[in-house]
Amino acid sequence: MRARLSNLQEQLREKDDKLREKEGINLSLQARLNTKNQQLEEKIRQEENLYQKLRAVEEQISQSQAQLREKELEKAKMLKERDRLNGNLRAMHQQLTNSGFSEFLKTKMQEQLERKEQQLVESELRLRELNQQLRDLQVQIREKDRATVALRERFGELEEQLATKEQEKNELERSLSTAQQILRDNQAQRSPDWVIPRTQIQLTTKSLNKGAWGEVVQGRFCGCVVAVKTIHNLILSDHNRRLFEREMDIASRCRHPCLLQFIGATNDDRTPLSLTEVMETSLRAVLEERSLSQTEITVIALDVARGLNYLHQKHPIPILHRDISSANVLLWRQGTQWRAKVSDYGTANFKKQTMTVAPGTPIYSAPEAHATNQTVQVDVYSFGVLLCEMSIRELPDPERREQQVAMVANNVLRALIRGCLETDPQVRPTMEEIISEIEPEAQGTF
């Protein structure tokens, strides 16, 4: 039986590898597209920066040209003033040559003449300064013109590069769209790896367990004894069928020693059948018969914690069990010691959509169990309730929760239970932290 199960699991892994390879190609194309988008955004930023620089240079040229016009007007005024002063000087010289003036008047006019000549010298100096400033401005304008030409050339190059990048991006988007369509077509054409033809399953009348949403009977598949879960009261709408397929996909990808081994399921128009390995009994059944020893409590609790920790660490999205109870913890013997496996880990969402009651047994449920923004901490709360039940051998009673916790004899487990039952989900420990707490208690037992 184990050899055939191993062979089936190997086939499932091979098909998973092929699908992951195609998904890898899809992710690679997406990564290339993201890179091109980043490059395109960088080119756009460069183009915007160059455009701003170009505008700044053009503004500087405009200001320089305005200054040049002002200087030229000032130069024209200076030239006009120089001509006026020269005319005055000539007139004054002419007057001085006339002999009709007294010495006093000649002296006064000589002084005025000297002042006018000094003004004329100053005007000449100012005119030379203006000429130099005009030449400097003209040089600056020519330099700005060259910078503007260079910027316009660079701007044109960037626009060409931008157009090329845009074409590459469009091509990558088309390639990605084609690859995604091929992947969807391939997924639509092939059956999921977990699908088992109904004709290969032989059902018996031996009932292994009954629950609110189905019954588990013993059956045979490929010559092996298996547990077959039949689902009752199910409306097989297209939505529910897609939901069932998604949950079975999740279960088929979960492989851990502390999880009940999922084998496969039917996927036809009839009521779905789900196949798992057969276990010896359940934790609920053992608790109904007798109390557990401290060793049994720690070993079973550690197995459950490890199974839940695997689900909570699942990538890319953690898996929430949402129905932890003593009925969903199945047991098998390793020598004289009971070992545990968590069952029903892939069907919480399916049960929620297809049954009239929400998934999860209310006596184990966290306060936020009916909220829409649940986290893995809902399972931590239920684990605390389960650990309390194992320790005192009483079914959980929400009305007596504090009294039941106080009945736990082991100080370490009692403190751990109280931490798991915190009202605020953020205060509760993680499953990794719970494992660290329980492991020392279970040392040397296996």
Side-chain angles (χ1 to χ4, degrees), residues 32-174:
R32 288 177 59 195
L33 179 59
N34 291 339
T35 301
K36 290 297 182 183
N37 279 332
Q38 292 173 358
Q39 293 175 349
L40 189 60
E41 289 171 0
E42 180 62 27
K43 291 296 183 184
I44 290 172
R45 283 194 294 271
Q46 291 178 8
E47 184 174 333
E48 289 175 350
N49 290 336
L50 278 176
Y51 182 72
Q52 291 174 358
K53 289 180 181 178
L54 183 61
R55 290 294 300 275
V57 169
E58 289 175 343
E59 182 65 26
Q60 291 173 1
I61 291 174
S62 177
Q63 292 174 358
S64 296
Q65 288 173 340
Q67 292 175 5
L68 183 61
R69 285 193 295 272
E70 290 176 0
K71 296 296 182 182
E72 287 175 344
L73 288 174
E74 188 175 354
K75 179 181 177 182
K77 289 180 180 178
M78 292 293 294
L79 289 172
K80 186 175 181 181
E81 178 65 16
R82 187 186 65 179
D83 293 340
R84 187 182 69 78
L85 287 172
N86 281 331
N88 290 340
L89 284 174
R90 285 194 295 273
M92 292 177 72
H93 276 293
Q94 183 64 36
Q95 290 175 357
L96 285 173
T97 57
N98 294 333
S99 57
F101 288 100
S102 66
E103 287 298 326
F104 177 75
L105 288 176
K106 287 183 178 181
T107 302
K108 287 291 185 182
M109 291 185 69
Q110 185 65 40
E111 291 174 355
Q112 290 179 7
L113 181 60
E114 290 174 355
R115 285 197 296 273
K116 293 294 184 180
E117 287 177 342
Q118 182 63 36
Q119 290 177 1
L120 184 59
V121 170
E122 291 174 356
S123 295
E124 289 289 345
L125 290 174
R126 180 61 179 158
L127 189 59
R128 282 197 291 272
E129 290 175 1
L130 281 174
N131 284 330
Q132 184 60 46
Q133 290 177 5
L134 285 172
R135 286 192 293 272
D136 293 342
L137 280 173
Q138 288 169 346
V139 170
Q140 290 177 15
I141 289 173
R142 285 194 294 272
E143 291 176 351
K144 297 293 183 183
D145 284 339
R146 285 194 292 270
T148 301
V149 171
L151 282 174
R152 289 188 184 279
E153 290 176 353
R154 179 60 179 156
F155 192 74
E157 291 173 1
L158 274 177
E159 284 187 327
E160 291 178 1
Q161 293 176 9
L162 191 61
T164 302
K165 293 293 183 184
E166 187 69 32
Q167 290 175 356
E168 292 176 358
K169 176 189 172 185
N170 293 336
E171 181 61 32
L172 275 174
E173 285 177 341
R174 286 193 293 270

Side-chain angles (χ1 to χ4, degrees), residues 405-421:
V405 173
M407 293 167 61
V408 178
N410 185 288
N411 293 334
V412 174
L413 296 185
R414 185 171 61 252
L416 180 59
I417 291 168
R418 290 191 190 280
C420 293
L421 299 183

Side-chain angles (χ1 to χ4, degrees), residues 272-333:
L273 302 177
S274 175
L275 278 63
T276 65
E277 62 179 322
V278 176
M279 302 293 284
E280 294 183 44
T281 187
S282 70
L283 177 58
R284 174 73 55 82
V286 172
L287 288 172
E288 288 174 352
E289 294 177 0
R290 63 175 179 84
S291 298
L292 299 176
S293 68
Q294 189 61 46
T295 298
E296 288 175 321
I297 292 172
T298 54
V299 171
I300 292 172
L302 188 57
D303 282 341
V304 174
R306 285 169 172 166
L308 289 176
N309 186 53
Y310 170 84
L311 295 176
H312 294 177
Q313 299 284 344
K314 198 71 175 167
H315 292 287
I317 301 174
I319 298 174
L320 281 64
H321 190 291
R322 297 198 292 184
D323 194 12
I324 296 298
S325 70
S326 55
N328 282 335
V329 176
L330 304 184
L331 304 179
W332 61 283
R333 281 205 174 273

